[in-house]
Amino acid sequence: MRSIVDTTTVQQLDPLGTLDGRPAGIVAVVGSLVFSVVVTANRAGQIEDPFLANAALFFIAVSAVLYIVTTSPIRPPFSGGLHALIVGLLIIAFALSSASIGSGGALLTDFWGPLVIGVMCMALAPYRPIAELVTLGIVASIFTGFIGLVQSSVADVAAPPMIVVLFTMTPVLTMSLGGAAFARSLASTHKRWEARARRAARRQLDREHDSVARSVQQDRVTILNRDVVPLFTELAQRGIVSPEDRARAAQYSESIRSLMVSEVNRSWLESVVATSFGALDDGRRVQDPQRLATAMTPHQRTALRAAVLAVASGTDLIADTVRLRIEKTPTGAAITVTGSVGSNESSWRSTLAPYIAVLRVVFTGLRISYRSPSLTVRFTYDTP
């Protein structure tokens, strides 16, 4: 089993929780930008190169915009390249800000950049693996320490070089490691909760097995009482079996056999869709000729089941128009969901945003195509 520290992010384990916490991250990042602007304006008299100071603010603004855009639920999962890019832009901004002061600055007014870098590292903690958060945090703190050391050598700073290095490294190191520790705690808690929930679900399934079996048996008995028993009663009263009776018996037998074969062959996805939207007579609500739905992981099944139930219980999509098609691809399988929208675009996007966020995490390559009133959602997953 792969380690949580090595491979799993909080966003993957709890997409909806990450989505709920995203506004706080946006406030922190935007606040850091405002803080940078205020500090720069207050020390305008000490700035020797205004161009470098403005360039530093520009890089901070770019990193804030990147955070807001790339962590959006309508975007693919946040990547390691974006993580390094955003933190790298802030390091460059700190270097430019320090260079803009030249020899005219003081320690307490120059070295505000590490605070901004540290806040961004904490804001990005839910989106990347713990090992990567720790590694990039340490690397970023080393760079900020070096920049602080260089600045102290050209500015009038009456402090030992080691103190300057620690002063600049500490905010980045503590905030990045703190964010990683918090993310690890959330991931571990979620894993323990998931394990307990899975055990409880298995126990509940065992308890319900007998009742489900009795329910299925009762369904069969109902069919027999409705069709077969009247035929046998009629035959017992007449004492003669006619060709018409044989035809009726063959028809009932074929009907019951077809029903049982159909239910046995029905996949979990077909059962969920049929229960949620109602089965179609033509059997084309779900098209999965290669039985690829069975290859989904438990997380993927849970996410897709929740999305189907949400769409079925809402009014944004017209239930009779919803179709699902699963096709084989060179790398796995692709699911295409189509339907007609019965509400305005802002309404269905707002309603489906949490479910789309979850689907983007557990599946890959999710794309949305909307041309009123038709909505198409396509995503892929790996198969054995």
Side-chain angles (χ1 to χ4, degrees):
M1 181 181 295
R2 294 181 299 177
S3 172
I4 292 176
V5 173
D6 294 334
T7 61
T8 308
T9 69
V10 173
Q11 184 186 34
Q12 291 173 320
L13 291 173
D14 188 8
L16 294 181
T18 303
L19 181 63
D20 289 340
R22 182 170 173 266
I26 293 176
V27 170
V29 170
V30 174
S32 297
L33 175 60
V34 174
F35 174 71
S36 305
V37 173
V38 171
V39 173
T40 302
N42 288 338
R43 63 178 190 180
Q46 302 176 3
I47 296 177
E48 296 180 357
D49 192 330
F51 174 79
L52 293 180
N54 291 329
L57 294 179
F58 172 76
F59 277 104
I60 296 174
V62 170
S63 67
V65 171
L66 281 175
Y67 173 86
I68 295 172
V69 172
T70 56
T71 59
S72 170
I74 65 173
R75 300 285 178 180
F78 192 82
S79 67
L82 286 171
H83 186 196
L85 175 62
I86 292 176
V87 176
L89 288 174
L90 292 177
I91 293 174
I92 294 174
F94 176 45
L96 292 174
S97 177
S98 298
S100 70
I101 299 298
S103 59
L107 181 63
L108 295 178
T109 57
D110 285 352
F111 301 122
W112 51 269
L115 295 175
V116 176
I117 299 173
V119 169
M120 181 61 77
C121 288
M122 291 189 66
L124 292 174
Y127 301 98
R128 296 305 303 160
I130 283 80
E132 182 180 309
L133 295 172
V134 172
T135 301
L136 194 57
I138 293 174
V139 171
S141 66
I142 293 173
F143 273 101
T144 54
F146 176 75
I147 294 171
L149 182 62
V150 171
Q151 175 63 16
S152 68
S153 66
V154 299
D156 186 17
V157 178
M162 183 58 65
I163 298 298
V164 174
V165 171
L166 292 176
F167 182 82
T168 53
M169 289 180 62
T170 299
V172 178
L173 193 61
T174 55
M175 290 187 183
S176 60
L177 294 183
F182 182 68
R184 186 179 186 277
S185 176
L186 287 179
S188 300
T189 301
H190 185 90
K191 281 289 185 180
R192 289 195 295 269
W193 173 85
E194 187 179 58
R196 290 196 297 268
R198 190 180 297 113
R199 290 194 296 268
R202 280 198 295 265
R203 290 194 296 268
Q204 181 66 20
L205 182 62
D206 292 339
R207 287 194 294 267
E208 293 180 353
H209 179 76
D210 292 339
S211 63
V212 171
R214 287 192 298 269
S215 176
V216 172
Q217 182 183 18
Q218 184 61 41
D219 290 342
R220 300 297 177 267
V221 171
T222 301
I223 296 174
L224 293 176
N225 288 335
R226 184 188 63 198
D227 298 326
V228 178
V229 172
L231 175 61
F232 284 173
T233 302
E234 184 179 343
L235 291 176
Q237 292 175 349
R238 287 193 283 110
I240 299 175
V241 179
S242 66
E244 290 78 8
D245 296 330
R246 295 190 186 94
R248 288 173 59 190
Q251 180 183 357
Y252 294 153
S253 175
E254 179 62 23
S255 176
I256 295 174
R257 188 193 68 82
S258 298
L259 177 61
M260 296 180 66
V261 170
S262 175
E263 292 185 354
V264 168
N265 291 333
R266 177 182 289 180
S267 69
W268 68 271
L269 181 58
E270 290 171 324
S271 298
V272 169
V273 172
T275 302
S276 303
F277 291 99
L280 292 179
D281 293 337
D282 56 12
R284 289 186 289 116
R285 177 81 76 179
V286 177
Q287 298 180 37
D288 184 15
Q290 296 177 280
R291 319 300 293 174
L292 298 173
T294 58
M296 294 184 199
T297 66
H299 287 296
Q300 291 170 339
R301 295 188 183 196
T302 301
L304 186 54
R305 182 182 289 109
V308 168
L309 294 175
V311 170
S313 60
T315 58
D316 294 291
L317 266 67
I318 301 174
D320 292 341
T321 66
V322 176
R323 304 286 188 277
L324 289 88
R325 184 175 70 255
I326 306 181
E327 302 170 311
K328 184 70 176 176
T329 66
T331 58
I335 305 177
T336 303
V337 183
T338 59
S340 295
V341 178
S343 61
N344 58 62
E345 184 173 0
S346 61
S347 175
W348 69 258
R349 284 189 180 275
S350 175
T351 302
L352 299 181
Y355 303 97
I356 292 175
V358 176
L359 292 175
R360 281 195 181 278
V361 172
V362 298
F363 292 97
T364 56
L366 190 146
R367 296 181 180 179
I368 300 175
S369 175
Y370 176 62
R371 181 174 296 177
S372 183
S374 299
L375 175 66
T376 301
V377 181
R378 180 181 172 88
F379 44 93
T380 60
Y381 62 97
D382 295 331
T383 57

